[in-house]
Amino acid sequence: AQSVAQPEDQVNVAEGNPLTVKCTYSVSGNPYLFWYVQYPNRGLQFLLKYITGDNLVKGSYGFEAEFNKSQTSFHLKKPSALVSDSALYFCAVRDDNFNKFYFGSGTKLNVKP
Amino acid sequence: DAGVIQSPRHEVTEMGQEVTLRCKPISGHNSLFWYRQTMMRGLELLIYFNNNVPIDDSGMPEDRFSAKMPNASFSTLKIQPSEPRDSAVYFCASSSYRATEAFFGQGTRLTVV
């Protein structure tokens, strides 16, 4: 079965500190992995994706994510958090066979000044 | 491209009335997805189309919900009759096949009173 897990409902971090938002996945076939961000009263915005190649993927707004095949993880990271990064973050996997997107439950990131 | 366009942005209706939500996907995209987002259930996939054909509607909650995609540039999600528990934000998203990301519209906030 295809699935995505975001084990933390909420992550709190101080501005300037590094942040990590966790994601693990389960999918048959090749995993296509994505991160999205949602600000209040807005749609989901694409941040970055892993398709193939280098395990460290760089995306928008200074975010990056590391693909780890052995741990089936795709954690989102940023070296130095900003207050403006506070939002809801979703991890997603797209199944190569069915083309569906499976989204995690979301993690609320709070960055405090 | 203007992105995925949804209308209306907000809809307030009385219980029992018919509601129609509209979506214009990004030109050239093959896949279209309808999602519903609530606090309790998070982001739920309702239905998705490939090349205007419904592929998986297992997420459609009841027969009161129906979706159509008469051509590559337009889709509707209809609820008839509407109920208060249908109150949610409904998102439309589109993408190309396989390894590409989905782009989301701004959503329609539906309130059924």
Side-chain angles (χ1 to χ4, degrees):
Chain A
Q2 336 299 335
S3 66
V4 174
Q6 293 181 242
E8 303 154 316
D9 290 337
Q10 187 167 298
V11 170
N12 299 311
V13 65
E15 187 174 32
N17 284 357
L19 68 88
T20 299
V21 182
K22 296 179 180 177
C23 171
T24 59
Y25 67 90
S26 173
V27 64
S28 57
N30 295 320
Y32 302 132
L33 297 158
F34 306 85
W35 274 101
Y36 287 82
V37 61
Q38 185 180 30
Y39 296 100
N41 301 313
R42 304 293 298 273
L44 278 69
Q45 292 177 237
F46 168 72
L47 275 179
L48 51 80
K49 64 182 177 183
Y50 171 83
I51 304 302
T52 187
D54 194 348
N55 290 344
L56 186 63
V57 179
K58 294 187 183 299
S60 306
Y61 312 119
F63 283 94
E64 56 189 29
E66 186 170 11
F67 172 65
N68 187 315
K69 188 174 182 178
S70 62
Q71 297 186 4
T72 62
S73 67
F74 189 56
H75 300 332
L76 181 70
K77 300 182 180 183
K78 187 173 182 181
S80 178
L82 300 173
V83 172
S84 57
D85 293 330
S86 298
L88 187 57
Y89 290 81
F90 289 94
C91 180
V93 62
R94 190 170 198 184
D95 188 312
D96 188 24
N97 294 323
F98 302 106
N99 285 306
K100 287 172 64 171
F101 286 87
Y102 298 85
F103 281 86
S105 55
T107 298
K108 185 177 181 183
L109 174 65
N110 295 314
V111 182
K112 299 183 178 179
Chain B
D1 201 315
V4 177
I5 299 173
Q6 291 186 246
S7 64
R9 289 293 310 277
H10 302 273
E11 176 80 35
V12 180
T13 190
E14 292 185 348
M15 182 175 61
Q17 296 298 305
E18 177 180 296
V19 175
T20 299
L21 311 181
R22 297 173 175 80
C23 175
K24 176 179 169 55
I26 292 174
S27 177
H29 281 184
N30 309 91
S31 300
L32 183 139
F33 307 83
W34 281 101
Y35 287 90
R36 178 171 69 175
Q37 187 177 34
T38 61
M39 290 290 291
M40 291 295 294
R41 301 174 70 90
L43 197 62
E44 302 174 274
L45 176 64
L46 301 177
I47 185 171
Y48 83 99
F49 298 83
N50 276 351
N51 291 325
N52 314 336
V53 176
I55 303 300
D56 186 345
D57 64 355
S58 60
M60 297 284 263
E62 300 171 31
D63 291 344
R64 298 184 297 106
F65 286 69
S66 63
K68 294 182 180 180
M69 192 165 186
N71 56 62
S73 59
F74 184 65
S75 177
T76 60
L77 177 68
K78 185 178 294 186
I79 307 172
Q80 166 62 22
S82 58
E83 296 182 3
R85 60 192 167 125
D86 301 330
S87 298
V89 181
Y90 291 81
F91 289 105
C92 175
S94 71
S95 79
S96 299
Y97 276 137
R98 294 185 178 275
T100 59
E101 60 272 26
F103 293 85
F104 281 74
Q106 293 299 298
T108 295
R109 182 175 295 277
L110 173 65
T111 302
V112 183
V113 298

